[in-house]
Amino acid sequence: MAVANTLPFSPDLVFGPFMIGFNAASILFGVLTVQYYLYHVSFPKDSSWIKCLALLVWLFELGHQISISHSAYVIMISNYGSLRALFQCPKSIQSLSIFACSVSFTVRGFYIYRLWRFRRSWVLVIFLSILPCASTGLYMYTTVLGFMEPNLILYGQKHWPLIIASGVLSACADVSVTFCMCVVLFKRKQQDGLESTRSVVDKLILWSLESGLFPTIFIIGMAVSSAISKDSFIWIAFWLVTCRAYSNSFFAMLNGRVFLRNLNANSLAVHTFDYIKSDLRSQPHVSLPDGHSSGMDIEMSKVIHVHSDLEQDVYNRGKV
């Protein structure tokens, strides 16, 4: 208590946010691991590079979890009751930034690639890559400053403008990619007349908003808390969880294709039934030797052709 009274900050605002962020990040890592397992079970035929990308994201998160666990042990166990670890913080604190930056950059790159699969515009890809690259560069610069300034308290007090700037760039990068994806999907919806296609595209738009804006919530929280309370570690609670927001959104998007597949199949089944029924009412019933109607045979061929086009044009592109 005597130490706490001589310092310009409250230990509750230093250790408390770190503990909350550590617990939340550990829980979300468990959720992430389950999602990674479900992905391999549900999509064994995905291309090799998609599987390697999923493995890479999980390995980055594993390194992040090991680093955060080591930091929590050193700060809260090895230096229990002392603030010494904050003035000479463990190197695992800095390694957190490297793993977090790797996850966010990889996931954003995948989202931009997925947008390119829809739009096929290199100009759009280059334009959208500017903000993520700038955000990643500033993020790595703050990481280098962290290695040069082992005092975590002084680091937060000196470099809070860079923390805010990095958060603003990251939020702008996520919002720009999400906005462009939604616009492209909305135009796609306007071009297709099939109701089954529209339902799939509506779901893709909703998931694009969720996956793009979910990490932005934590980034904004980190920037605002850093600006409001420079002498506390409230911002670090958001920082520790932001990495998990990117990876969980990424795997949720990959695994959500199961729902899209079922939604597409159900919509096509209803559309096929209504289409055949209406056609049989308008066509004369002509009996064939095998007892089938000629109108049904013709229209079933048409519907199957539409199903093939829809899978190739929408679902496979969403599948990447």
Side-chain angles (χ1 to χ4, degrees):
M1 293 299 296
V3 176
N5 292 333
T6 62
L7 295 175
F9 55 84
S10 171
D12 292 334
L13 296 179
V14 174
F15 297 111
F18 189 89
M19 188 65 183
I20 293 173
F22 168 69
N23 290 333
S26 299
I27 293 173
L28 290 176
F29 180 74
V31 176
L32 173 69
T33 302
V34 173
Q35 288 205 75
Y36 179 62
Y37 170 77
L38 292 176
Y39 165 73
H40 276 282
V41 172
S42 303
F43 301 99
K45 296 183 179 180
D46 267 2
S47 60
S48 299
W49 81 269
I50 292 289
K51 293 180 179 179
C52 291
L53 185 67
L55 176 61
L56 186 64
V57 171
W58 185 83
L59 289 176
F60 283 150
E61 288 288 17
L62 177 62
H64 187 274
Q65 183 62 33
I66 293 174
S67 298
I68 191 177
S69 299
H70 177 266
S71 301
Y73 185 87
V74 171
I75 293 175
M76 300 178 186
I77 304 299
S78 300
N79 295 278
Y80 176 76
S82 173
L83 298 177
R84 181 177 57 186
L86 299 179
F87 297 108
Q88 190 67 36
C89 62
K91 295 299 182 182
S92 53
I93 286 286
Q94 284 83 8
S95 64
L96 287 173
S97 299
I98 299 176
F99 288 117
C101 183
S102 301
V103 170
S104 61
F105 185 78
T106 302
V107 173
R108 285 174 186 157
F110 176 79
Y111 288 158
I112 293 175
Y113 168 78
R114 188 166 178 259
L115 180 60
W116 176 78
R117 288 292 302 271
F118 276 95
R119 187 64 179 174
R120 299 286 181 176
S121 173
W122 285 107
V123 176
L124 181 62
V125 169
I126 295 174
F127 173 75
L128 292 177
S129 300
I130 294 176
L131 283 176
C133 291
S135 173
T136 302
L138 184 58
Y139 202 107
M140 294 305 297
Y141 176 67
T142 58
T143 301
V144 173
L145 293 178
F147 279 104
M148 297 172 61
E149 178 57 76
N151 189 322
L152 205 55
I153 301 297
L154 292 179
Y155 174 81
Q157 293 175 344
K158 289 181 179 179
H159 306 301
W160 66 268
L162 292 177
I163 297 175
I164 296 176
S166 177
V168 170
L169 283 177
S170 298
C172 291
D174 294 335
V175 171
S176 61
V177 174
T178 302
F179 175 77
C180 291
M181 175 61 77
C182 292
V183 170
V184 170
L185 289 174
F186 182 78
K187 290 182 178 180
R188 176 71 185 183
K189 175 183 175 181
Q190 297 298 108
Q191 294 173 357
D192 286 312
L194 289 176
E195 186 64 28
S196 56
T197 303
R198 292 183 177 182
S199 61
V200 172
V201 175
D202 284 339
K203 200 64 181 177
L204 286 174
I205 293 175
L206 179 61
W207 284 349
S208 296
L209 288 172
E210 292 175 350
S211 60
L213 299 182
F214 180 55
T216 306
I217 297 174
F218 296 97
I219 293 174
I220 294 176
M222 180 183 66
V224 171
S225 59
S226 177
I228 294 177
S229 182
K230 306 179 183 63
D231 296 328
S232 71
F233 271 13
I234 298 177
W235 62 271
I236 206 171
F238 294 98
W239 175 59
L240 294 176
V241 180
T242 301
C243 182
R244 299 291 189 274
Y246 278 109
S247 56
N248 275 281
S249 297
F250 169 74
F251 278 102
M253 182 269 299
L254 289 180
N255 294 331
R257 292 175 295 162
V258 174
F259 178 82
L260 285 181
R261 181 187 299 166
N262 295 333
L263 177 65
N264 191 17
N266 293 336
S267 299
L268 285 170
V270 174
H271 174 74
T272 301
F273 177 76
D274 294 339
Y275 192 70
I276 294 174
K277 184 171 65 175
S278 62
D279 183 77
L280 287 177
R281 289 176 178 175
S282 60
Q283 296 290 338
H285 185 80
V286 181
S287 298
L288 297 178
D290 57 357
H292 291 287
S293 168
S294 61
M296 179 177 288
D297 289 339
I298 295 174
E299 298 306 327
M300 278 296 293
S301 299
K302 289 182 179 179
V303 172
I304 291 174
H305 180 67
V306 170
H307 180 274
S308 176
D309 291 343
L310 183 63
E311 289 284 332
Q312 178 66 27
D313 205 29
V314 177
Y315 178 74
N316 283 347
R317 284 194 174 190
K319 179 179 178 181
V320 184

